Amino acid sequence: MSRKIHIFDTTLRDGEQVPGAKLNKRQKLEIAQQLAKLNVDVIEGGFPCSSPGDLDAVRAISRQVKGPVIAGLARAVKEDIDIAWEAVREAERPRIHVFLGSSDIHIQKKLRSNRENAMEMAVEAVKYARSLCDEVEFSTEDGSRTDFQFLCRIIEATIGAGASVINVPDTVGYALPEEFGDLIQRIREAVPSMDRVLLSVHCHNDLGLAVANSIAAIRNGADQVECTINGIGERAGNASLEEIVMVLRTRFANYQATTAVKTEEIYRTSRMVSRIMNIPVQPNKAIVGSNAFSHSSGIHQDGVLKDRATYEIMRPEDLGMKQHTIVLTARSGRAALKHRLSELGFSLDSEVFERVYNRFIDVADRKKEIGAQDLQTIVEIEVSKVPETYKMHGLQIMSGSKMVPLASVTLERDGQLHTDAATGNGPVDAVFNGIERITGVSGRLCDYDLKAVTMGRGALGEAMVRVQIGDTIYSGIGTSPDVIEASARAYLNAYNRYFANGGAEVIQSKS
Ligand code: KIV
Ligand code: ZN
């Protein structure tokens, strides 16, 4: 008999705490819809009291995303709980997630309080949340560093107050697998009412042990794990959803535990989160890194060709990384493109489809064959597009080892073409300067990342930038088989966010 482990995804809350990864409502909704396809049990949509925008985004998720429980985070105070309830009340299955520091250091230094007051606050908060919502989760923040007796008392008391899920976080990523597993087992033994509720864990990765700690907790009786796609999250991140799910699946005999996650959606979800949040996935990242299934040594390649099981413990297709043999070219028409997109699981409205088609033709003109990953990249970019105040119309570069690079840039705004030329320290710098001259806005490049997102010499290059304009940092992404054009598109994308800035597209405000 296997146990079911509930997957609580907090990409849109703890994951969104990564500097520069702030999402707007549309982006959150898009990721939440994909998390529902991935079939996670709970989506923590955000921390609704943190901003009116987040309240609005979590409310939209609650209204539109069907299937998973939708949770909203709240501190153990009435105002937060009211706002969290406002955000999740229209969900099919709403949950209010209340948290309070329970370690002495949190209680004394952060809350400037004492254990008894903290206990009272927790109980009152859970009772109040329970008066609004049937499902209440209580988190003992910094649980792994909390005095064990007090931890058990606060858990017992909050279960008595109506919590149906108790979460024990390793907030600072300090725990070791054997001690965290032991903690979970001791809680189960010491708190009699624990059997009536779900026991959850939430591990951070400061020592690189978040997944190991989550797995140790599962072995010792945890029912729910809180995790994020690609392991993103506060500081060194959270436990990675895809790693936990694949450990349980690949080593089923060891844990006898399953999740409801549709693993074939893992790769697509990982790519989507990386792209929308502008957080690249390291190539050697377990499960979803670009090297996770590529074999470079001759001995390994030989082994894999003879039998994949020689060097592969998982099948890439189980993660949705299908090796498609059919490729599209510039001669493929709309019908072929539509068919291929539907095979890949995309159903696009006609306006987005036209944009995808135009971009597809543009890329296919320069790259002979368009594979599944190319298409996925094109669709993701067109789907999550910002309004284009300026459109890229043309680009010419002169560059060489003994000359100052010169770029001529043509942008279109309201049907009018604007051309300007600029020099720079390199061709990319020259292009960025050209964009600045036309728009009349100067920005400071804070981050620049360039990588190939597809295979081969004609690979699609993907550039990601973060540009500071005034006090705000805007992120941008651009793709093209030409890496300078990809960089220009990324820079322009950040500028278009700046122009579209109604607050919603703001990535990070410096205070
Ligand atoms: O890390 C943590 O303790 C948290 C809680 C709010 C659950 O994120
Ligand atoms: Zn956390």
Side-chain angles (χ1 to χ4, degrees):
M1 263 292 279
S2 67
R3 285 192 303 138
K4 154 130 193 219
I5 303 301
H6 296 244
I7 297 292
F8 177 116
D9 181 279
T10 182
T11 306
L12 297 176
R13 198 277 298 168
D14 221 325
E16 206 206 14
Q17 288 174 213
V18 174
K22 189 94 188 80
L23 300 173
N24 63 32
K25 175 162 104 180
R26 180 174 45 75
Q27 293 168 322
K28 277 202 162 191
L29 252 175
E30 203 179 321
I31 293 178
Q33 297 284 16
Q34 179 57 31
L35 290 171
K37 277 198 195 155
L38 185 65
N39 211 26
V40 301
D41 298 281
V42 186
I43 296 174
E44 185 163 53
F47 189 10
C49 79
S50 66
S51 70
D54 212 39
L55 163 63
D56 198 29
V58 181
R59 196 193 282 124
I61 293 172
S62 300
R63 284 180 182 153
Q64 295 180 43
V65 179
K66 304 296 169 205
V69 170
I70 308 296
L73 185 68
R75 286 169 299 187
V77 292
K78 185 173 179 298
E79 303 76 64
D80 274 31
I81 295 170
D82 283 333
I83 297 173
W85 176 234
E86 199 45 48
V88 298
R89 62 187 304 163
E90 291 175 64
E92 257 177 3
R93 295 156 65 200
R95 181 184 294 182
I96 300 178
H97 178 189
V98 178
F99 75 100
L100 184 72
S102 55
S103 63
D104 285 337
I105 183 164
H106 275 230
I107 292 175
Q108 287 162 15
K109 299 282 160 52
K110 202 176 77 171
L111 304 173
R112 302 212 181 284
S113 186
N114 57 47
R115 286 187 188 174
E116 291 323 304
N117 283 343
M119 171 77 83
E120 204 179 307
M121 248 179 111
V123 167
E124 287 313 309
V126 170
K127 272 193 191 150
Y128 182 62
R130 193 66 178 73
S131 73
L132 303 170
C133 182
D134 283 346
E135 234 177 79
V136 174
E137 169 168 339
F138 177 70
S139 278
T140 59
E141 191 190 13
D142 206 15
S144 57
R145 293 195 302 169
T146 298
D147 171 78
F148 182 70
Q149 300 306 330
F150 182 65
L151 184 63
C152 293
R153 276 181 54 217
I154 200 165
I155 290 175
E156 183 104 58
T158 47
I159 294 174
S164 49
V165 184
I166 294 292
N167 181 40
V168 180
D170 179 28
T171 302
V172 291
Y174 180 72
L176 300 174
E178 54 280 13
E179 94 192 351
F180 196 61
D182 190 49
L183 175 66
I184 296 305
Q185 188 182 19
R186 287 196 297 140
I187 292 173
R188 275 221 169 278
E189 287 163 2
V191 181
S193 51
M194 201 72 242
D195 286 344
R196 303 204 319 254
V197 304
L198 290 182
L199 176 53
S200 168
V201 292
H202 173 115
C203 297
H204 277 271
N205 206 28
D206 299 67
L207 292 173
L209 293 170
V211 170
N213 286 336
S214 306
I215 297 290
I218 290 171
R219 184 191 269 297
N220 286 282
D223 309 291
Q224 171 180 285
V225 281
E226 303 197 354
C227 43
T228 58
I229 300 296
N230 301 334
I232 60 168
E234 187 77 32
R235 304 183 311 279
N238 289 59
S240 137
L241 179 148
E242 60 278 7
E243 292 177 25
I244 294 175
V245 167
M246 292 314 286
V247 168
L248 295 182
R249 181 175 160 143
T250 310
R251 302 302 303 265
F252 176 76
N254 296 63
Y255 300 102
Q256 308 278 325
T258 54
T259 70
V261 164
K262 295 202 170 109
T263 61
E264 322 80 63
E265 292 292 335
I266 283 181
Y267 186 64
R268 182 180 303 173
T269 316
S270 160
R271 293 275 309 148
M272 179 189 278
V273 167
S274 164
R275 179 175 314 287
I276 294 180
M277 291 185 140
N278 276 357
I279 305 175
V281 175
Q282 75 195 59
N284 61 322
K285 164 83 178 62
I287 319 293
V288 289
S290 54
N291 291 347
F293 291 94
S294 64
H295 304 272
S296 60
S297 115
I299 295 173
H300 289 210
Q301 286 174 349
D302 179 56
V304 168
L305 287 173
K306 287 174 177 148
D307 184 338
R308 284 170 50 179
T310 51
Y311 287 99
E312 280 182 6
I313 57 165
M314 292 165 277
R315 300 184 321 157
E317 51 272 38
D318 290 344
L319 304 161
M321 300 173 177
K322 288 203 191 93
Q323 292 301 316
H324 296 280
T325 45
I326 301 165
V327 284
L328 295 169
T329 69
R331 286 176 305 286
S332 311
R334 284 183 171 73
L337 177 64
K338 201 168 258 173
H339 177 74
R340 193 76 187 88
L341 287 172
S342 84
E343 274 183 359
L344 292 169
F346 294 111
S347 83
L348 307 177
D349 65 40
S350 50
E351 193 200 318
V352 178
F353 176 77
E354 265 323 291
R355 292 209 306 264
V356 168
Y357 177 74
N358 289 334
R359 189 99 171 90
F360 158 74
I361 290 296
D362 183 35
V363 175
D365 272 343
R366 288 173 285 168
K367 183 176 191 285
K368 272 193 244 128
E369 294 176 341
I370 303 292
Q373 287 181 18
D374 298 303
L375 273 185
Q376 196 156 320
T377 305
I378 291 171
V379 171
E380 284 166 4
I381 284 180
E382 292 302 332
V383 166
S384 57
K385 216 162 190 147
V386 284
E388 287 187 304
T389 307
Y390 284 94
K391 286 198 180 86
M392 177 62 64
H393 192 269
L395 200 57
Q396 273 186 319
I397 320 287
M398 281 203 295
S399 175
S401 55
K402 293 224 164 61
M403 65 176 290
V404 177
L406 176 70
S408 163
V409 181
T410 304
L411 304 182
E412 183 194 319
R413 181 172 185 166
D414 301 330
Q416 299 263 356
L417 295 184
H418 304 263
T419 301
D420 212 326
T423 56
N425 290 329
V428 171
D429 188 41
V431 170
F432 291 175
N433 289 338
I435 292 175
E436 294 191 355
R437 285 175 69 93
I438 295 174
T439 57
V441 176
S442 68
R444 187 178 72 81
L445 185 66
C446 309
D447 262 320
Y448 173 62
D449 183 68
L450 183 66
K451 67 170 187 213
V453 283
T454 57
M455 310 286 278
R457 292 174 76 154
L460 213 49
E462 179 181 88
M464 286 182 176
V465 296
R466 284 183 222 277
V467 185
Q468 184 178 350
I469 304 174
D471 282 342
T472 305
I473 295 178
Y474 300 88
S475 68
I477 187 163
T479 57
S480 166
D482 174 336
V483 292
I484 307 222
E485 186 184 319
S487 309
R489 285 185 182 278
Y491 206 68
L492 197 58
N493 185 237
Y495 267 62
N496 280 328
R497 278 181 209 279
Y498 164 74
F499 288 114
N501 176 19
E505 298 291 344
V506 172
I507 296 302
Q508 180 185 327
S509 280
K510 294 199 151 183
S511 48

